[in-house]
Amino acid sequence: MDLWFSEGHTPNVRLSIKVDKQLYSAQSEFQRIDVFESEEFGRFLTLDGFMMLTEKDEFIYHEMITHVPMAVHPNPKKVLIIGAGDGGVVRELVQYQAVEHIDLVEIDEMVIEAAKKYLPQTASKLDDPRVHIHIEDGLKHVRFCENEYDIIIVDSTDPFGPGEGLFTREFYGSCYKALKEDGIMVNQHESPFYDEDVAAMQRAHQRIIECFPISRVYQAHIPTYPSGHWLFGFASKKYHPVKDMSASVWKSNNIPTKYYNSNLHKGAFYLPNYVQKLLTEVEHKGDK
Amino acid sequence: MDLWFSEGHTPNVRLSIKVDKQLYSAQSEFQRIDVFESEEFGRFLTLDGFMMLTEKDEFIYHEMITHVPMAVHPNPKKVLIIGAGDGGVVRELVQYQAVEHIDLVEIDEMVIEAAKKYLPQTASKLDDPRVHIHIEDGLKHVRFCENEYDIIIVDSTDPFGPGEGLFTREFYGSCYKALKEDGIMVNQHESPFYDEDVAAMQRAHQRIIECFPISRVYQAHIPTYPSGHWLFGFASKKYHPVKDMSASVWKSNNIPTKYYNSNLHKGAFYLPNYVQKLLTEVEHKGDK
């Protein structure tokens, strides 16, 4: 049988993956959810036809969105995760003894159910007693929080459909308010390569720098996302992502990683000139 | 019209690019050569159906294979380029006043002719008076060189077909001999992500560490190559790629770049754990 999943990265570029079989397909209140089995990538999850994660490379995304802020904050006790119903961020977070309380706010309960059933690799720690799952719109949840979290991780989908509200100025402002005085927010920040992604990336960056005194962008190689060059935003009230990073604190946690390490943490913030230029354009626009 | 170029990154993964038209197609003594025009990537060159370069992202490959060794060697006067008939490496190299002599050894004259006619963006500097083009097998050329070059840049195709000889131990040994006592060799080093590429990458690394006292691997984001995560090898008789890098010498050359900068130079050597592990496996094997 010749069954292929194919995603348009732009109208002119497609990445196609040979599929063994479709394990799950459902239409929730918010989106279409599919899980496939493939030889190359193991199982993979798509929402509205867009690649969310594959078992082969999800470790890159989940390690980079989690361990970068965790290696900077000196005492992260309470963490808020927005989105991330697949459980990948939780799996990384629960490895830290310092973390006492995790609020996971996912708008779509069916994503969590599908992950628990079909994606044990990421969903395995959703039952950890420190994890509190809230089926709710992330935008609404943070609106009522104040001075509560050490770290907020925004593991959103793309800035259209159910994830749209998580790229607004209102949302980033609420996250600022929801963080303690030395809090850190990290978000998935789209890609710098294709024009379609660049516009979303610049918009997100502009709104974040309007809300946070410290705002930097870092990168990772994620082969199954458009262009493979993916960005994350690091926004903070106090800590600098590189100068305040502690390699010794990271090492003392003794967490096994396949992608992240302390040198790579630094290197991830050393962006190519063309990416830096896209960010600087927005920063100067913000100055006016 | 709906015309797509499609490349299998593995038997189970394909990247497809919408094509406006085919500008050139020929079968040389060595390989099939095609040039296409596309909306997303501008013109692009394929050899035997494999992507060599696109106008949209070739700057990443050419800057990274050229400026990394050039920012380390304190006085690079004579440079050998193997392959690179498209002219991209030459375009970057001729910006250095220090460079007095460039030997470009390309096995396939028809690649150079196609590039001059259809790819002016990369081929524009092939007529620089310092450039000496030799239509010859790179393996044969270096066999007879001794203590001659400051830098050798191996811009090979993949390790099968006409590029196969450029991944052999004999070739790397000849490069060592062809370099002066403080010479540097850089090569395109395949990708760490898909099994097919990993095998070639590990083989190349093992052979290079057998020939050179200093051997490191660095990475770049190249969206149109398989997985987008591409590696380069830095092999040297004397200089360390990061400790001996001079940001001030680089800056004094005042070369405009879209990808490369001195911080990124360092960051490119900070590899993910899983890539480091693939390299270490080979290094330990070499110890036995």
Side-chain angles (χ1 to χ4, degrees):
Chain A
M1 195 182 69
D2 218 27
L3 183 65
W4 291 75
F5 164 82
S6 190
E7 181 184 335
H9 288 176
T10 81
N12 304 309
V13 187
R14 305 194 71 80
L15 185 71
S16 305
I17 296 174
K18 195 165 189 300
V19 167
D20 289 338
K21 61 182 172 185
Q22 185 165 26
L23 297 173
Y24 176 79
S25 184
Q27 178 70 43
S28 77
E29 189 186 340
F30 303 99
Q31 55 207 340
R32 178 171 167 168
I33 307 165
D34 292 279
V35 181
F36 300 93
E37 176 91 48
S38 73
E39 192 181 320
E40 191 69 48
F41 295 99
R43 294 181 175 192
F44 63 91
L45 167 71
T46 66
L47 295 178
D48 284 339
F50 292 100
M51 178 61 78
M52 291 298 118
L53 66 86
T54 82
E55 287 185 333
K56 187 179 168 89
D57 71 345
E58 56 84 10
F59 72 95
I60 303 171
Y61 180 88
H62 291 127
E63 289 186 13
M64 290 302 281
I65 203 168
T66 306
H67 299 309
V68 169
M70 292 297 288
V72 173
H73 199 291
N75 191 21
K77 288 183 181 166
K78 192 166 181 183
V79 181
L80 170 63
I81 314 173
I82 310 271
D86 53 67
V89 175
V90 162
R91 181 194 61 202
E92 297 303 316
L93 263 185
V94 296
Q95 299 180 87
Y96 293 87
Q97 288 198 330
V99 173
E100 297 170 356
H101 186 107
I102 300 169
D103 284 319
L104 171 70
V105 180
E106 165 64 58
I107 200 169
D108 194 344
E109 190 164 18
M110 285 179 70
V111 170
I112 296 179
E113 285 166 7
K116 281 185 170 174
K117 194 156 180 192
Y118 296 103
L119 300 167
Q121 182 175 309
T122 50
S124 60
K125 303 293 180 188
L126 284 171
D127 296 326
D128 188 283
R130 290 170 287 171
V131 178
H132 304 264
I133 297 178
H134 310 263
I135 305 302
E136 193 185 354
D137 183 348
L139 185 61
K140 287 185 189 152
H141 181 93
V142 288
R143 207 178 268 156
F144 302 105
C145 300
E146 211 173 317
N147 192 30
E148 194 171 337
Y149 295 106
D150 299 302
I151 290 179
I152 298 177
I153 296 176
V154 187
D155 180 10
S156 69
T157 52
D158 295 314
F160 41 79
E164 200 171 342
L166 306 182
F167 285 83
T168 58
R169 194 180 162 169
E170 188 213 330
F171 173 69
Y172 298 129
S174 296
C175 285
Y176 181 89
K177 191 170 54 64
L179 285 168
K180 290 185 189 155
E181 58 170 8
D182 63 348
I184 298 170
M185 178 189 84
V186 169
N187 70 312
Q188 83 85 353
H189 210 285
E190 302 291 312
S191 164
F193 190 69
Y194 294 118
D195 289 348
E196 287 83 348
D197 301 315
V198 166
M201 188 275 280
Q202 287 187 310
R203 255 197 318 276
H205 187 61
Q206 173 144 30
R207 289 166 184 169
I208 293 170
I209 57 176
E210 285 167 8
C211 296
F212 283 83
I214 296 167
S215 172
R216 293 288 185 283
V217 168
Y218 63 102
Q219 64 196 346
H221 291 90
I222 304 181
T224 54
Y225 284 180
S227 87
H229 190 174
W230 211 254
L231 302 180
F232 299 90
F234 179 104
S236 160
K237 292 189 177 185
K238 186 174 164 187
Y239 302 120
H240 186 280
V242 176
K243 289 176 202 154
D244 293 319
M245 192 255 293
S246 167
S248 62
V249 167
W250 162 252
K251 276 173 197 149
S252 72
N253 276 294
N254 214 11
I255 293 171
T257 49
K258 287 192 281 180
Y259 194 85
Y260 180 87
N261 60 59
S262 297
N263 274 333
L264 183 135
H265 178 129
K266 283 182 271 180
F269 286 90
Y270 298 153
L271 303 174
N273 284 356
Y274 88 95
V275 180
Q276 195 50 60
K277 187 163 170 257
L278 293 171
L279 297 171
T280 309
E281 277 170 24
V282 169
E283 286 161 12
H284 287 173
K285 208 169 150 196
D287 291 343
K288 280 170 196 163
Chain B
M1 194 183 68
D2 218 27
L3 182 65
W4 291 75
F5 163 82
S6 191
E7 182 184 334
H9 288 175
T10 81
N12 304 310
V13 188
R14 306 193 69 81
L15 185 71
S16 305
I17 296 174
K18 195 165 190 297
V19 167
D20 289 338
K21 60 181 173 186
Q22 184 166 26
L23 296 173
Y24 176 79
S25 184
Q27 178 69 43
S28 77
E29 188 186 338
F30 303 99
Q31 55 207 341
R32 178 171 166 167
I33 307 166
D34 292 280
V35 181
F36 299 93
E37 176 91 48
S38 73
E39 192 180 319
E40 192 68 48
F41 295 100
R43 294 181 175 191
F44 64 92
L45 168 70
T46 67
L47 296 178
D48 284 338
F50 292 98
M51 179 61 79
M52 292 296 119
L53 65 87
T54 82
E55 287 185 333
K56 186 177 168 91
D57 71 346
E58 56 84 9
F59 72 95
I60 303 170
Y61 180 89
H62 290 126
E63 288 185 13
M64 289 302 282
I65 203 168
T66 307
H67 299 310
V68 169
M70 293 296 288
V72 174
H73 199 292
N75 191 21
K77 287 182 180 165
K78 192 167 182 184
V79 181
L80 170 63
I81 314 172
I82 310 272
D86 54 68
V89 175
V90 162
R91 181 195 61 203
E92 297 304 315
L93 263 186
V94 297
Q95 298 179 87
Y96 292 87
Q97 286 197 333
V99 172
E100 295 170 357
H101 186 106
I102 300 169
D103 283 319
L104 171 69
V105 180
E106 165 64 58
I107 200 169
D108 194 343
E109 189 164 21
M110 284 178 72
V111 170
I112 297 178
E113 285 166 7
K116 280 185 171 173
K117 195 156 177 191
Y118 297 103
L119 301 167
Q121 182 175 308
T122 50
S124 60
K125 302 295 180 188
L126 284 171
D127 295 327
D128 186 283
R130 290 170 288 172
V131 178
H132 304 264
I133 297 178
H134 311 262
I135 304 302
E136 194 184 354
D137 183 348
L139 186 61
K140 288 185 188 152
H141 181 93
V142 287
R143 208 176 268 157
F144 302 105
C145 299
E146 212 174 317
N147 192 29
E148 194 171 338
Y149 296 105
D150 298 301
I151 291 177
I152 298 177
I153 296 176
V154 187
D155 179 9
S156 68
T157 52
D158 294 314
F160 40 80
E164 202 171 339
L166 306 182
F167 285 81
T168 59
R169 194 180 162 170
E170 189 214 330
F171 174 68
Y172 298 129
S174 296
C175 285
Y176 182 88
K177 191 171 54 65
L179 284 168
K180 292 184 188 155
E181 58 169 10
D182 63 349
I184 298 168
M185 179 187 83
V186 169
N187 70 311
Q188 85 83 353
H189 209 285
E190 302 292 311
S191 164
F193 190 70
Y194 294 119
D195 289 348
E196 287 82 348
D197 302 315
V198 166
M201 188 275 279
Q202 287 187 310
R203 256 197 316 275
H205 187 61
Q206 174 146 27
R207 290 166 184 170
I208 293 171
I209 58 176
E210 285 169 8
C211 296
F212 283 83
I214 296 167
S215 172
R216 293 289 185 284
V217 169
Y218 62 102
Q219 64 196 347
H221 291 88
I222 305 182
T224 55
Y225 283 0
S227 87
H229 190 174
W230 211 254
L231 302 180
F232 299 90
F234 179 104
S236 160
K237 294 189 178 185
K238 186 174 165 189
Y239 303 119
H240 186 280
V242 176
K243 290 176 202 155
D244 293 319
M245 193 255 293
S246 167
S248 62
V249 167
W250 161 252
K251 277 175 195 146
S252 72
N253 276 294
N254 215 12
I255 292 171
T257 48
K258 286 193 279 180
Y259 194 86
Y260 179 88
N261 60 60
S262 298
N263 275 333
L264 183 136
H265 178 129
K266 282 181 273 180
F269 286 90
Y270 297 154
L271 303 174
N273 284 358
Y274 88 94
V275 180
Q276 194 51 59
K277 186 163 170 257
L278 293 171
L279 297 171
T280 308
E281 277 169 24
V282 169
E283 287 160 12
H284 287 175
K285 207 169 150 195
D287 289 344
K288 281 167 197 167

